[in-house]
Structure formats: structure tokens, C-alpha cells
Amino acid sequence: MVRASLLSLLAPLFLFAADASAQKSAFDKPTLEAYVRHLYNLNAALTVQVGDPKPSDLPGFSQVRVRISQGTASQELPLLISKDGKKIVQGTYYDVNNNPFKSELDKLKTQYQPALGTAGAPVVLVVFSDFQCPYCKGEAQMLRENLIKNYPTQVRLYFKDFPLDGHSWAKGGAIAGRCVFQQKPEAFWEYHDWIFAHQEAITPENLKDQVTGWAKDAKDIDVLKLGRCIDTKATAAEVEKEIAEGRALDVNGTPTIFVNGRRISQTIDWPNLKNIIDSEIEYQKTAKNAGDDCGCEVKLDVPGLPAKSPVIAPSKKK
């Protein structure tokens, strides 16, 4: 009788111990969402989406991306979670044997993109931009006026489309720009300058007429072909690919520039940008762990045929 009473008294203690040992795991999506909401004091109007865990370069940790959004505005939060699910790390880690911006460099794809400057240059600028963004307009003018004039052989500039959801004709302008690039790559920069210069006059309704009107005065542009490309949105998939690349790099606004992988996520004036470029040119003289891979090798491997020397397109120097 005494033993039975003792066991009945100990039973709640055993249950309490079992509950205490049931540790929470950050790999449980509702648990992680609740933790993030409390950590950043997020109100109920914000949507929180927890992604699936993926491998990370940091031993013992997996990466989970958390997307916080409200309407068309969003921000992604990359988190590192220990293998046991108990620890969460937010921040940046570095490997002293690699370029500190290796993660960004690995994600930046520049092959077959609109480009200016010398192929193989030691410094590469990649610009994520929006043709409807007024800040992008100012920065584009600054780059066009100064970059190649000051660095004719040392810098390569690549353009990436990142039209923002809240802009009514930005994606249409990006699609049209890719249509121009498909026809005549060098004409893209004429289009780039023109559309920024006429930004305030363009609407979703008149975009096609404005672009085809520009094309009539442009050299070697087939206006009818361009119009069909715009109507069918033939290059929309390319634009969506650029947007996805930007999101993978945590680009949340425009303009965003990467200088050999170094992120500049706010507008910058020419003297400060020049200082960064000069520093990177000097650093790459010894580091040689960034710069341009022109992607201009065209090689067709056919089984059974002897290997041929690669065909390299000559670079144009300005």
C-alpha cells in the first residue's frame, strides 16, 4: 500500500522530467517561426515563411532562410542552425584561406550579360538595377560618366535586372531591354541610357510605343522583331532568372552594386566608389582571387574527335 502511494506521488515528477527533456528544435518550422517573431518583435501583419534546411560551408551547421514579407515588400534572413537544432547563428563567418566575399562571388553569374569594359579586368562591378527606380537612374549616370573613362582596362561592368514588385512598368522595361540585347548586345547600353533619361515619361500603357519609337532611330534594330519580342514577353524567363539570382544574394533593393563581391546596398557617390575600386585593384595585384572571367570560350566537345585549341573571342578595349 505504501509503495503504491509512493509511486502515485512520483508519477507527476516523472512526467515533468519527460517534458523538460523534450528539447525544442530550430528545424521544426513552427518553433523557428515563433522564435523569430519573438526575437524581432514582428507583428501579426507580417508573414514569416521558414525554408527547408540546406547544407552550409560552416561545419556542424545547416542554413535555413526565413522570408519576412508584407504585401510586395520582403526581406530574407539567412540563419545557421546547429546539427542538433539547439543553436541559431545569425551573422557572417569567413575562411582566411579564401576571398572574404567568396560566397557572393560564387553566386554572381556574369556570362552572357550586358557588359562594359575590358574582359579579364582585375575588378568586376555587378549592378542590380531597376529602370523605374530614380536612385538607379542617378547611379547609372554616375557610372556611365566616370567608370570607363577612369578605368579603361582595369574594370568590367555587368548589368543585372532587378525590377521591384511595386514598380508598374519596371519588369516590362527589363523584358524590352533583354529583347534589345538579344538582337544587338552593344545596343543595350544605348537603350539603358535612353530609358533612364526618359524614365518620367514612361507608363505601363505607353512603354511599347516608347521603346519601338526609340528603336526606329537606333542603328540595326529590327523594330517589328522587337515589338513581337515585347508582346510575347519572350525574354521574361531571363528577367525572372536575374531576379532569382538577386534574391539568392539577399538583394532587397536597388541599386545594389557588388565590387569583386563586396556589397554596396545603398547609393554611393563617385569619389567613394573610386576609393573602393582603387583599393581592390591594388589588393588584386597580389591576392588574385577575384576579377573577371570573360566566359568568351566557345568549345564543342565531340566524342571521338581530337581536342582542338579553344576559340577565344578578341576583347574590345576602349
Side-chain angles (χ1 to χ4, degrees), residues 281-304:
I281 289 172
E282 191 63 29
Y283 179 73
Q284 288 305 320
K285 288 178 180 178
T286 54
K288 301 186 186 302
N289 59 10
D292 185 48
D293 176 7
C294 68
C296 52
E297 179 177 333
V298 182
K299 184 167 64 174
L300 179 65
D301 293 322
V302 180

mmCIF file of all heavy atoms in Angstrom, residues 281-304:
data_model
loop_
_atom_site.group_PDB
_atom_site.id
_atom_site.type_symbol
_atom_site.label_atom_id
_atom_site.label_comp_id
_atom_site.label_asym_id
_atom_site.label_seq_id
_atom_site.Cartn_x
_atom_site.Cartn_y
_atom_site.Cartn_z
ATOM 1 N N ILE A 281 41.924 47.171 -56.881
ATOM 2 C CA ILE A 281 42.962 46.992 -57.912
ATOM 3 C C ILE A 281 44.301 46.676 -57.259
ATOM 4 O O ILE A 281 45.022 45.763 -57.674
ATOM 5 C CB ILE A 281 43.073 48.253 -58.794
ATOM 6 C CG1 ILE A 281 41.845 48.389 -59.693
ATOM 7 C CG2 ILE A 281 44.342 48.210 -59.650
ATOM 8 C CD1 ILE A 281 41.778 49.692 -60.457
ATOM 9 N N GLU A 282 44.646 47.418 -56.219
ATOM 10 C CA GLU A 282 45.911 47.207 -55.520
ATOM 11 C C GLU A 282 45.937 45.848 -54.830
ATOM 12 O O GLU A 282 46.932 45.111 -54.900
ATOM 13 C CB GLU A 282 46.114 48.322 -54.494
ATOM 14 C CG GLU A 282 47.505 48.374 -53.881
ATOM 15 C CD GLU A 282 48.598 48.663 -54.895
ATOM 16 O OE1 GLU A 282 48.320 49.345 -55.914
ATOM 17 O OE2 GLU A 282 49.736 48.192 -54.688
ATOM 18 N N TYR A 283 44.819 45.477 -54.194
ATOM 19 C CA TYR A 283 44.737 44.206 -53.475
ATOM 20 C C TYR A 283 44.880 43.018 -54.432
ATOM 21 O O TYR A 283 45.560 42.030 -54.124
ATOM 22 C CB TYR A 283 43.405 44.132 -52.731
ATOM 23 C CG TYR A 283 43.185 42.858 -51.955
ATOM 24 C CD1 TYR A 283 43.874 42.613 -50.770
ATOM 25 C CD2 TYR A 283 42.294 41.887 -52.403
ATOM 26 C CE1 TYR A 283 43.674 41.439 -50.046
ATOM 27 C CE2 TYR A 283 42.088 40.717 -51.700
ATOM 28 C CZ TYR A 283 42.786 40.500 -50.521
ATOM 29 O OH TYR A 283 42.588 39.343 -49.814
ATOM 30 N N GLN A 284 44.274 43.116 -55.613
ATOM 31 C CA GLN A 284 44.300 42.004 -56.555
ATOM 32 C C GLN A 284 45.654 41.792 -57.210
ATOM 33 O O GLN A 284 45.894 40.755 -57.815
ATOM 34 C CB GLN A 284 43.219 42.193 -57.620
ATOM 35 C CG GLN A 284 41.795 41.984 -57.120
ATOM 36 C CD GLN A 284 41.597 40.631 -56.466
ATOM 37 O OE1 GLN A 284 42.125 39.612 -56.946
ATOM 38 N NE2 GLN A 284 40.868 40.608 -55.370
ATOM 39 N N LYS A 285 46.564 42.756 -57.071
ATOM 40 C CA LYS A 285 47.915 42.578 -57.618
ATOM 41 C C LYS A 285 48.618 41.391 -56.964
ATOM 42 O O LYS A 285 49.450 40.724 -57.586
ATOM 43 C CB LYS A 285 48.737 43.845 -57.419
ATOM 44 C CG LYS A 285 48.322 44.998 -58.332
ATOM 45 C CD LYS A 285 49.156 46.243 -58.052
ATOM 46 C CE LYS A 285 48.738 47.403 -58.965
ATOM 47 N NZ LYS A 285 49.520 48.636 -58.663
ATOM 48 N N THR A 286 48.288 41.131 -55.703
ATOM 49 C CA THR A 286 48.902 40.004 -55.000
ATOM 50 C C THR A 286 47.897 38.893 -54.687
ATOM 51 O O THR A 286 48.231 37.716 -54.738
ATOM 52 C CB THR A 286 49.552 40.474 -53.686
ATOM 53 O OG1 THR A 286 48.579 41.184 -52.907
ATOM 54 C CG2 THR A 286 50.731 41.387 -53.970
ATOM 55 N N ALA A 287 46.651 39.264 -54.370
ATOM 56 C CA ALA A 287 45.664 38.252 -53.973
ATOM 57 C C ALA A 287 45.219 37.394 -55.152
ATOM 58 O O ALA A 287 45.140 36.161 -55.053
ATOM 59 C CB ALA A 287 44.452 38.932 -53.335
ATOM 60 N N LYS A 288 44.881 38.044 -56.254
ATOM 61 C CA LYS A 288 44.437 37.349 -57.472
ATOM 62 C C LYS A 288 43.334 36.333 -57.187
ATOM 63 O O LYS A 288 43.341 35.205 -57.694
ATOM 64 C CB LYS A 288 45.629 36.666 -58.158
ATOM 65 C CG LYS A 288 46.753 37.625 -58.548
ATOM 66 C CD LYS A 288 47.838 36.936 -59.343
ATOM 67 C CE LYS A 288 49.026 37.862 -59.598
ATOM 68 N NZ LYS A 288 48.661 39.085 -60.305
ATOM 69 N N ASN A 289 42.356 36.730 -56.366
ATOM 70 C CA ASN A 289 41.261 35.821 -56.024
ATOM 71 C C ASN A 289 39.894 36.379 -56.401
ATOM 72 O O ASN A 289 38.863 35.953 -55.895
ATOM 73 C CB ASN A 289 41.288 35.471 -54.534
ATOM 74 C CG ASN A 289 41.185 36.700 -53.639
ATOM 75 O OD1 ASN A 289 40.910 37.810 -54.102
ATOM 76 N ND2 ASN A 289 41.404 36.505 -52.347
ATOM 77 N N ALA A 290 39.886 37.355 -57.318
ATOM 78 C CA ALA A 290 38.633 37.900 -57.855
ATOM 79 C C ALA A 290 38.957 38.528 -59.199
ATOM 80 O O ALA A 290 40.097 38.479 -59.670
ATOM 81 C CB ALA A 290 38.033 38.927 -56.894
ATOM 82 N N GLY A 291 37.950 39.129 -59.830
ATOM 83 C CA GLY A 291 38.144 39.729 -61.141
ATOM 84 C C GLY A 291 37.269 39.056 -62.171
ATOM 85 O O GLY A 291 36.394 38.249 -61.840
ATOM 86 N N ASP A 292 37.494 39.352 -63.421
ATOM 87 C CA ASP A 292 36.586 38.932 -64.479
ATOM 88 C C ASP A 292 37.003 37.639 -65.147
ATOM 89 O O ASP A 292 38.140 37.474 -65.560
ATOM 90 C CB ASP A 292 36.494 40.036 -65.540
ATOM 91 C CG ASP A 292 35.478 39.701 -66.610
ATOM 92 O OD1 ASP A 292 34.359 39.302 -66.241
ATOM 93 O OD2 ASP A 292 35.796 39.826 -67.794
ATOM 94 N N ASP A 293 36.035 36.730 -65.239
ATOM 95 C CA ASP A 293 36.172 35.554 -66.094
ATOM 96 C C ASP A 293 35.257 35.829 -67.272
ATOM 97 O O ASP A 293 34.043 35.754 -67.160
ATOM 98 C CB ASP A 293 35.730 34.299 -65.349
ATOM 99 C CG ASP A 293 35.765 33.060 -66.228
ATOM 100 O OD1 ASP A 293 36.254 33.164 -67.359
ATOM 101 O OD2 ASP A 293 35.297 31.997 -65.780
ATOM 102 N N CYS A 294 35.848 36.172 -68.403
ATOM 103 C CA CYS A 294 35.050 36.722 -69.507
ATOM 104 C C CYS A 294 34.035 35.743 -70.068
ATOM 105 O O CYS A 294 33.067 36.131 -70.705
ATOM 106 C CB CYS A 294 35.950 37.217 -70.624
ATOM 107 S SG CYS A 294 36.829 35.908 -71.504
ATOM 108 N N GLY A 295 34.239 34.421 -69.889
ATOM 109 C CA GLY A 295 33.280 33.461 -70.417
ATOM 110 C C GLY A 295 33.188 33.477 -71.927
ATOM 111 O O GLY A 295 32.139 33.184 -72.487
ATOM 112 N N CYS A 296 34.291 33.854 -72.598
ATOM 113 C CA CYS A 296 34.212 34.006 -74.052
ATOM 114 C C CYS A 296 34.742 32.785 -74.797
ATOM 115 O O CYS A 296 34.905 32.810 -75.998
ATOM 116 C CB CYS A 296 34.969 35.251 -74.492
ATOM 117 S SG CYS A 296 36.651 35.346 -73.862
ATOM 118 N N GLU A 297 35.023 31.711 -74.095
ATOM 119 C CA GLU A 297 35.479 30.499 -74.770
ATOM 120 C C GLU A 297 34.289 29.760 -75.356
ATOM 121 O O GLU A 297 33.293 29.504 -74.680
ATOM 122 C CB GLU A 297 36.216 29.590 -73.785
ATOM 123 C CG GLU A 297 36.702 28.287 -74.418
ATOM 124 C CD GLU A 297 37.492 27.434 -73.445
ATOM 125 O OE1 GLU A 297 38.095 27.989 -72.526
ATOM 126 O OE2 GLU A 297 37.487 26.215 -73.615
ATOM 127 N N VAL A 298 34.358 29.423 -76.618
ATOM 128 C CA VAL A 298 33.306 28.671 -77.286
ATOM 129 C C VAL A 298 33.912 27.349 -77.737
ATOM 130 O O VAL A 298 34.738 27.301 -78.634
ATOM 131 C CB VAL A 298 32.758 29.443 -78.508
ATOM 132 C CG1 VAL A 298 31.631 28.661 -79.164
ATOM 133 C CG2 VAL A 298 32.279 30.816 -78.085
ATOM 134 N N LYS A 299 33.502 26.261 -77.098
ATOM 135 C CA LYS A 299 34.138 24.976 -77.376
ATOM 136 C C LYS A 299 33.078 23.901 -77.542
ATOM 137 O O LYS A 299 32.133 23.821 -76.762
ATOM 138 C CB LYS A 299 35.099 24.616 -76.234
ATOM 139 C CG LYS A 299 35.885 23.334 -76.482
ATOM 140 C CD LYS A 299 37.022 23.194 -75.495
ATOM 141 C CE LYS A 299 36.572 23.055 -74.064
ATOM 142 N NZ LYS A 299 37.685 22.783 -73.149
ATOM 143 N N LEU A 300 33.209 23.093 -78.563
ATOM 144 C CA LEU A 300 32.287 21.992 -78.797
ATOM 145 C C LEU A 300 33.073 20.695 -78.688
ATOM 146 O O LEU A 300 33.962 20.419 -79.495
ATOM 147 C CB LEU A 300 31.646 22.122 -80.191
ATOM 148 C CG LEU A 300 30.668 21.010 -80.590
ATOM 149 C CD1 LEU A 300 29.458 21.041 -79.669
ATOM 150 C CD2 LEU A 300 30.240 21.184 -82.037
ATOM 151 N N ASP A 301 32.753 19.894 -77.684
ATOM 152 C CA ASP A 301 33.450 18.631 -77.482
ATOM 153 C C ASP A 301 32.646 17.507 -78.127
ATOM 154 O O ASP A 301 31.514 17.223 -77.714
ATOM 155 C CB ASP A 301 33.638 18.361 -75.983
ATOM 156 C CG ASP A 301 34.597 19.359 -75.354
ATOM 157 O OD1 ASP A 301 35.592 19.719 -76.010
ATOM 158 O OD2 ASP A 301 34.342 19.768 -74.213
ATOM 159 N N VAL A 302 33.211 16.871 -79.123
ATOM 160 C CA VAL A 302 32.545 15.766 -79.801
ATOM 161 C C VAL A 302 33.338 14.494 -79.531
ATOM 162 O O VAL A 302 34.537 14.428 -79.829
ATOM 163 C CB VAL A 302 32.462 16.013 -81.329
ATOM 164 C CG1 VAL A 302 31.770 14.842 -82.012
ATOM 165 C CG2 VAL A 302 31.740 17.316 -81.603
ATOM 166 N N PRO A 303 32.702 13.467 -78.927
ATOM 167 C CA PRO A 303 33.425 12.224 -78.632
ATOM 168 C C PRO A 303 34.055 11.635 -79.892
ATOM 169 O O PRO A 303 33.443 11.601 -80.958
ATOM 170 C CB PRO A 303 32.316 11.306 -78.092
ATOM 171 C CG PRO A 303 31.263 12.236 -77.580
ATOM 172 C CD PRO A 303 31.309 13.419 -78.496
ATOM 173 N N GLY A 304 35.311 11.218 -79.779
ATOM 174 C CA GLY A 304 35.996 10.585 -80.898
ATOM 175 C C GLY A 304 36.851 11.525 -81.714
ATOM 176 O O GLY A 304 37.701 11.077 -82.479
#
